[in-house]
Amino acid sequence: MSFSDLKKQSSLGSLTAKLTKEAEKMNNKGGGADDRLWKPEMDKSGNGYAVIRFLPAPDGEDLPWVKLFSHAFQGPGGWYIENSLTTIGGKDPVGELNRELWNSGNEKDKETVRKQKRKLSFYANIYVVKDPANPQNEGGVFLYKFGKKIFDKIMDAMQPEFEDETPINPFDFWQGANFKLKLKKVAGYWNYDSSEFDRPGPLLDDDDAMEAIWKKQYSLSAFTAADQFKSYDELKKRLDYVLGNKSTRMTTVEEETEYDNYAATEQKSVSEEEVLRKLETSYQQSKAAAEDSSTSSADDEDDDAMSYFAKLADS
């Protein structure tokens, strides 16, 4: 689809209906820090504010967002942090285990399921209009990872609840709207309830400038490409080790690095002290498991883990 076709569809409003149908379809189905990613930041008072604009689908792709299911939890054998095969319509070992536990009728099993449940994330391209915490980001194109709360606000804009409200396509260059992201902490977690869309209007007054922005966008389909998912057997093997069922294991440093990367990309605020505490816990558990294993040297793992913690302290 050419840029002129994109503008033509904007004036006809045909993309809004298409995106709404696709989102409904999604809702009816189960289903190391990246410098391309933009994240809001809080100020010293515990609040955050930024203005962003959701961008249209990248050239050659159908949707302006992509959804991704993942799991992140800790067991006796370390952390399980993996993309879920349910994202691409496949069977996933954690999903199968969770169904079995939930159907047991045991409340303890249900609590385990709650800890191991899927996490739903969305990715979209955005243009940063205003970022007081990092002004150098303004005017840049980034990927933005967000959760169901913000996605619901997008859907509310496309399908307003009241008849006196006009539907808009937030991903439209000409008739979309800037998104005023207002962030605060509630019960220790980041809260986006006060965020809202501004009045509809063009992102810029210059079509050539907007076309240049459009061409800078990142692929979204890459997030659900085959190489982003391990096979069922690989995931099952990892799950068995994390739950203490098998001896196959990752090295201690791999586990710590995996958690560190996960924490770095999470949207809620995680303090360095909390990250280090969890890493230390994971390290101690892995060390205990290593002492009973003949497959690797515990001394080498101690050295690697301590080296890793030293690097964190120096950074």
Side-chain angles (χ1 to χ4, degrees):
M1 181 171 62
S2 68
F3 190 73
S4 59
D5 289 337
L6 187 70
K7 184 172 184 179
K8 189 184 299 181
Q9 290 195 36
S10 166
S11 57
L12 294 174
S14 56
L15 279 177
T16 304
K18 179 180 178 182
L19 296 182
T20 299
K21 287 182 181 178
E22 188 63 30
E24 289 174 344
K25 212 190 306 180
M26 283 168 38
N27 290 334
N28 291 332
K29 288 184 179 180
D34 188 338
D35 59 9
R36 301 173 304 163
L37 282 169
W38 176 85
K39 293 190 295 183
E41 290 187 17
M42 284 187 169
D43 58 26
K44 293 180 180 179
S45 66
N47 296 315
Y49 178 78
V51 180
I52 62 176
R53 180 75 167 234
F54 291 100
L55 298 176
D59 190 15
E61 300 186 19
D62 294 328
L63 287 175
W65 71 74
V66 66
K67 70 170 184 176
L68 185 68
F69 286 113
S70 60
H71 293 279
F73 58 87
Q74 191 177 25
W79 283 90
Y80 184 94
I81 303 170
E82 304 288 353
N83 289 338
S84 171
L85 288 168
T86 58
T87 301
I88 52 177
K91 292 182 179 179
D92 189 89
V94 180
E96 291 179 341
L97 174 62
N98 282 349
R99 280 193 295 275
E100 182 181 335
L101 292 174
W102 190 265
N103 292 331
S104 72
N106 185 310
E107 191 55 40
K108 188 175 180 181
D109 286 344
K110 289 186 176 182
E111 184 58 33
T112 299
V113 172
R114 294 184 184 102
K115 293 177 181 177
Q116 299 177 174
K117 68 180 181 179
R118 295 187 309 180
K119 177 180 179 181
L120 174 59
S121 299
F122 297 90
Y123 289 86
N125 281 285
I126 62 164
Y127 176 86
V128 178
V129 178
K130 185 174 183 179
D131 185 354
N134 294 285
Q136 69 274 13
N137 291 334
E138 294 176 5
V141 174
F142 295 88
L143 289 166
Y144 179 41
K145 177 184 177 183
F146 54 97
K148 189 175 183 300
K149 173 71 69 174
I150 289 180
F151 188 76
D152 286 345
K153 288 184 177 292
I154 292 171
M155 289 305 304
D156 287 343
M158 292 195 288
Q159 293 180 306
E161 185 177 358
F162 300 101
E163 62 181 21
D164 64 339
E165 297 175 333
T166 303
I168 66 167
N169 173 8
F171 300 93
D172 191 277
F173 269 130
W174 298 271
Q175 299 183 37
N178 292 344
F179 186 64
K180 296 186 287 186
L181 197 150
K182 300 176 182 179
L183 181 61
K184 55 190 175 184
K185 251 186 183 177
V186 176
Y189 291 91
W190 287 21
N191 182 282
Y192 298 88
D193 287 349
S194 300
S195 301
E196 60 184 347
F197 283 99
D198 206 342
R199 294 179 180 179
L203 172 59
L204 302 172
D205 294 328
D206 184 346
D207 277 9
D208 290 338
M210 289 194 290
E211 183 174 10
I213 291 170
W214 185 55
K215 289 180 177 179
K216 290 180 181 177
Q217 292 183 209
Y218 300 100
S219 170
L220 298 175
S221 61
F223 283 97
T224 53
D227 62 0
Q228 299 300 303
F229 299 86
K230 293 180 181 177
S231 69
Y232 180 94
D233 289 342
E234 288 174 315
L235 292 175
K236 183 66 165 63
K237 188 176 182 180
R238 176 62 185 157
L239 177 62
D240 284 339
Y241 174 72
V242 166
L243 297 180
N245 299 331
K246 299 274 180 160
S247 60
T248 304
R249 62 190 306 278
M250 296 171 70
T251 69
T252 304
V253 174
E254 284 175 331
E255 288 178 357
E256 290 163 351
T257 303
E258 187 172 12
Y259 175 75
D260 188 50
N261 289 340
Y262 167 71
T265 56
E266 277 302 274
Q267 288 189 318
K268 70 178 184 179
S269 177
V270 181
S271 68
E272 182 175 276
E273 181 181 351
E274 179 71 358
V275 172
L276 288 173
R277 184 185 66 76
K278 290 187 177 182
L279 285 173
E280 177 65 22
T281 300
S282 178
Y283 163 65
Q284 293 297 343
Q285 290 174 336
S286 297
K287 179 181 175 184
E291 290 173 350
D292 295 329
S293 172
S294 60
T295 60
S296 61
S297 165
D299 290 339
D300 288 344
E301 290 179 6
D302 288 354
D303 291 341
D304 287 344
M306 289 302 99
S307 173
Y308 179 69
F309 284 123
K311 288 178 183 177
L312 277 180
D314 292 336
S315 61

